[in-house]
C-alpha cells in the first residue's frame, strides 16, 4: 500500500476570517522586513569595522547613513554619532523633538552617543514614535560603535608605542655609533700610534720589536671591527652622499662579505632631497631586507629598485631564494614581535607609507614599499 502525504491547506471559511488572515500576513511580512533592515544594519557595521584602512570619521559617517536606512520610516529618518567633541551625521541630520538616543561607552566611560531622529511627527508607539525593536537596535549599534572606537584607539596606541620604540632604537644606535667612532676607535688609534713610536725605538733584532708589531696588528684589527660596527649602526655619509650612494656602498660591502650578488637600480631621484628620517628608515629597510635574505632565503641574487614617482618614493626588493609561507610568517611576526618583517612594517608606518610582501615557497620574496617623498606634507595631512 502506498503512503500518501496530505498537502492540503486549510483556508479561512468566511470573508472576515480571510480578511483577518490577510491582515495578519501583512503584519508578519512588515515585521520581517523591519528585522531584515535591522540585520542589514548590524551586518553592514560589522563589515565596515573590518576596513582598517578607512579613517574613523569616515567610518562613523557611513554608519550614520546605515542607521538612517534601517529605521521604520527611512524617508524621514536622520542619524548622528557624537564621539567626544566631534559629530558624524547623515546628510539630512537635524535635531527634532522625535528623538531616540543611546550612549557610547569605551572601557566603561561614556564618550558619546548615537542619536536617531524623525523629521516629522509619527504616531505614538512603544517608545515615543519608535518601535521596541528599534530601542534594541540603537543599543546594539552604540555597543558596536564603542567596540570599534576602543579597537581603533588601542591600535593607535600600539602604533604610537611601536614608533616610539623604533625611534628610541634609532637614537640609541646613533649614540652608540658616535661613541664607538669618535671615542673608542679614536683612543685605540692613538694607542696604536704610541705603540708604533715605541716600537720604532726598539732594536730591530730584539724580541720586543716583533711582539709590538703583532700587538699593533691586533689593535688595527680591533679598530677596523669597531668602525665596521659603527658604520653598521650609523651609515657614514648618509647626509653628505645621499640615500642612493649610501645604499650602493652598503650593498657593495654586503655583497663582498656574504658572496651575494646585489643589483641596485635608481631612477627619478635626481634633484630630490630627503629629510634624515626618510633616508635612515629607507636605508634600514634595505638593510633589514638584506639581512633576512642572508639568514633565511638561501638566495644567490637580490635586486633593489628605487624609483622617484612624485609624490611617492617606491622601493622594490626581490630575491631568487626559497620563498616562504607568507601568511604564517606575517602572523608569527605580529604575535612574536620579531625584529624582521614586523620592524619593516612599523618603519613604513612611521614614514606614513605602505608595504606589501609577495612570496610563495620556492619563488623568492618580493617587497614593495611606497612612501611619500615630502615629509612635511605628511605632517599636515
Amino acid at each position: 500500500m502506498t503512503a500518501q502525504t496530505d498537502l492540503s491547506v486549510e483556508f479561512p471559511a468566511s470573508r472576515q476570517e480571510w480578511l483577518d488572515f490577510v491582515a495578519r500576513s501583512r503584519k508578519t511580512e512588515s515585521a520581517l522586513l523591519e528585522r531584515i533592515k535591522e540585520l542589514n544594519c548590524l551586518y553592514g557595521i560589522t563589515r565596515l569595522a573590518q576596513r582598517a584602512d578607512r579613517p574613523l570619521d569616515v567610518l562613523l559617517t557611513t554608519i550614520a547613513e546605515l542607521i538612517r536606512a534601517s529605521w521604520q520610516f527611512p524617508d524621514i529618518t536622520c542619524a548622528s554619532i557624537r564621539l567626544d567633541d566631534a559629530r558624524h551625521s547623515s546628510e539630512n541630520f537635524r535635531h527634532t523633538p522625535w528623538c531616540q538616543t543611546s550612549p557610547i561607552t569605551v572601557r566603561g566611560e561614556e564618550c558619546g552617543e548615537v542619536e536617531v531622529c524623525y523629521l516629522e511627527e509619527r504616531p505614538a508607539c512603544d517608545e515615543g514614535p519608535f518601535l521596541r525593536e528599534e530601542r534594541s537596535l540603537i543599543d546594539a549599534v552604540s555597543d558596536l560603535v564603542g567596540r570599534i572606537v576602543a579597537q581603533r584607539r588601542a591600535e593607535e596606541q600600539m602604533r604610537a608605542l611601536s614608533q616610539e620604540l623604533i625611534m628610541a632604537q634609532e637614537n640609541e644606535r646613533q649614540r652608540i655609533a658616535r661613541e664607538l667612532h669618535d671615542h673608542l676607535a679614536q683612543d685605540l688609534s692613538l694607542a696604536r700610534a704610541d705603540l708604533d713610536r715605541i716600537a720604532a725605538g726598539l732594536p730591530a733584532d730584539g724580541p720586543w720589536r716583533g711582539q709590538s708589531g703583532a700587538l699593533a696588528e691586533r689593535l688595527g684589527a680591533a679598530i677596523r671591527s669597531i668602525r665596521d660596527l659603527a658604520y653598521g649602526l650609523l651609515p657614514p655619509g648618509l647626509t653628505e652622499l645621499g640615500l642612493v650612494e649610501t645604499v650602493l656602498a652598503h650593498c657593495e660591502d654586503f655583497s663582498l662579505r656574504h658572496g651575494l650578488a646585489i643589483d641596485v637600480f635608481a631612477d627619478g631621484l635626481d634633484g630630490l632631497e630627503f629629510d634624515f628620517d626618510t633616508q635612515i628608515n629607507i636605508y634600514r629597510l634595505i638593510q633589514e631586507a638584506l639581512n633576512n635574505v642572508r639568514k633565511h632565503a638561501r638566495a644567490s641574487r637580490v635586486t633593489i629598485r628605487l624609483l622617484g614617482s612624485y609624490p611617492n618614493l617606491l622601493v622594490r626588493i626581490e630575491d631568487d631564494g626559497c620563498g616562504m609561507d607568507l601568511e604564517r610568517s606575517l602572523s608569527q611576526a605580529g604575535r612574536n614581535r620579531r625584529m624582521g618583517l614586523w620592524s619593516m612594517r612599523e618603519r613604513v608606518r612611521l614614514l606614513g607609507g605602505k608595504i606589501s610582501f609577495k612570496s610563495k615557497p620556492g619563488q623568492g620574496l618580493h617587497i614593495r614599499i611606497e612612501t611619500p617623498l615630502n615629509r612635511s606634507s605628511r605632517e599636515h595631512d
Side-chain angles (χ1 to χ4, degrees), residues 35-228:
R35 301 299 81 74
I36 289 171
K37 288 195 298 182
E38 293 165 7
L39 289 173
N40 285 339
C41 178
L42 296 175
Y43 175 72
I45 294 172
T46 303
R47 289 288 302 273
L48 286 170
Q50 299 172 5
R51 295 289 304 274
D53 59 325
R54 181 168 293 190
L56 182 60
D57 58 341
V58 174
L59 186 141
L60 293 179
T61 301
T62 307
I63 291 176
E65 292 291 347
L66 274 176
I67 295 171
R68 170 187 173 186
S70 305
W71 254 244
Q72 185 180 9
F73 305 105
D75 292 341
I76 59 168
T77 301
C78 60
S80 179
I81 299 173
R82 180 182 61 79
L83 184 62
D84 297 325
D85 296 329
R87 185 174 289 277
H88 313 277
S89 307
S90 61
E91 187 177 0
N92 64 337
F93 180 78
R94 61 183 173 85
H95 289 284
T96 72
W98 312 288
C99 182
Q100 187 177 40
T101 65
S102 182
I104 298 171
T105 58
V106 176
R107 296 178 181 175
E109 295 185 3
E110 185 175 332
C111 61
E113 67 178 4
V114 177
E115 183 176 1
V116 180
C117 297
Y118 281 147
L119 300 173
E120 299 175 6
E121 186 175 4
R122 303 305 301 169
C125 200
D126 299 311
E127 182 183 325
F130 300 100
L131 298 172
R132 180 177 63 256
E133 291 81 5
E134 288 170 338
R135 163 51 57 189
S136 299
L137 178 58
I138 194 173
D139 288 342
V141 168
S142 63
D143 180 67
L144 279 174
V145 171
R147 293 173 184 270
I148 292 170
V149 172
Q151 181 181 358
R152 288 294 184 95
R153 288 180 175 177
E155 289 172 353
E156 289 174 1
Q157 186 177 23
M158 284 298 298
R159 188 174 300 116
L161 290 172
S162 296
Q163 292 176 354
E164 288 180 10
L165 173 62
I166 289 175
M167 293 305 298
Q169 179 192 58
E170 196 59 56
N171 291 334
E172 189 65 10
R173 280 179 168 179
Q174 294 177 31
R175 185 191 67 80
I176 294 173
R178 285 191 292 268
E179 289 290 329
L180 289 174
H181 184 273
D182 297 343
H183 297 286
L184 184 56
Q186 295 291 345
D187 291 344
L188 289 176
S189 296
L190 291 173
R192 183 182 179 183
D194 291 340
L195 183 61
D196 288 339
R197 284 194 296 269
I198 294 171
L202 295 174
D205 55 350
W208 294 106
R209 185 70 174 265
Q211 292 181 13
S212 64
L215 183 57
E217 286 299 322
R218 290 172 63 183
L219 279 173
I223 292 167
R224 288 191 295 272
S225 296
I226 290 170
R227 284 179 173 163
D228 288 343

Side-chain angles (χ1 to χ4, degrees), residues 2-13:
T2 304
Q4 295 183 351
T5 303
D6 185 6
L7 299 177
S8 61
V9 177
E10 185 176 348
F11 289 96

Side-chain angles (χ1 to χ4, degrees), residues 161-347:
L161 290 172
S162 296
Q163 292 176 354
E164 288 180 10
L165 173 62
I166 289 175
M167 293 305 298
Q169 179 192 58
E170 196 59 56
N171 291 334
E172 189 65 10
R173 280 179 168 179
Q174 294 177 31
R175 185 191 67 80
I176 294 173
R178 285 191 292 268
E179 289 290 329
L180 289 174
H181 184 273
D182 297 343
H183 297 286
L184 184 56
Q186 295 291 345
D187 291 344
L188 289 176
S189 296
L190 291 173
R192 183 182 179 183
D194 291 340
L195 183 61
D196 288 339
R197 284 194 296 269
I198 294 171
L202 295 174
D205 55 350
W208 294 106
R209 185 70 174 265
Q211 292 181 13
S212 64
L215 183 57
E217 286 299 322
R218 290 172 63 183
L219 279 173
I223 292 167
R224 288 191 295 272
S225 296
I226 290 170
R227 284 179 173 163
D228 288 343
L229 179 58
Y231 293 165
L233 292 170
L234 180 61
L238 185 60
T239 55
E240 294 81 8
L241 299 176
L243 177 63
V244 175
E245 292 298 326
T246 306
V247 168
L248 284 170
H250 176 69
C251 290
E252 182 178 358
D253 178 66
F254 196 93
S255 177
L256 291 173
R257 283 189 288 119
H258 301 291
L260 180 66
I262 305 176
D263 300 318
V264 181
F265 302 93
D267 190 25
L269 301 179
D270 293 340
L272 294 178
E273 294 185 1
F274 303 97
D275 59 86
F276 181 77
D277 284 350
T278 299
Q279 292 188 84
I280 192 63
N281 279 292
I282 293 297
Y283 177 86
R284 294 295 186 215
L285 287 164
I286 294 172
Q287 189 180 42
E288 187 63 52
L290 291 176
N291 285 333
N292 287 338
V293 170
R294 178 179 62 84
K295 293 176 183 177
H296 309 295
R298 299 196 297 274
S300 60
R301 181 174 294 275
V302 179
T303 302
I304 300 172
R305 292 183 172 87
L306 295 96
L307 174 64
S309 178
Y310 191 82
N312 295 317
L313 169 65
L314 303 180
V315 181
R316 294 178 180 176
I317 307 167
E318 303 175 3
D319 67 69
D320 62 355
C322 60
M324 66 175 69
D325 183 337
L326 194 57
E327 184 175 350
R328 179 181 177 186
S329 297
L330 289 175
S331 65
Q332 288 179 346
R335 288 197 304 269
N336 301 332
R337 292 293 186 265
R338 293 179 178 174
M339 299 305 289
L341 299 180
W342 174 80
S343 66
M344 295 180 72
R345 296 173 83 173
E346 293 306 312
R347 282 190 184 276

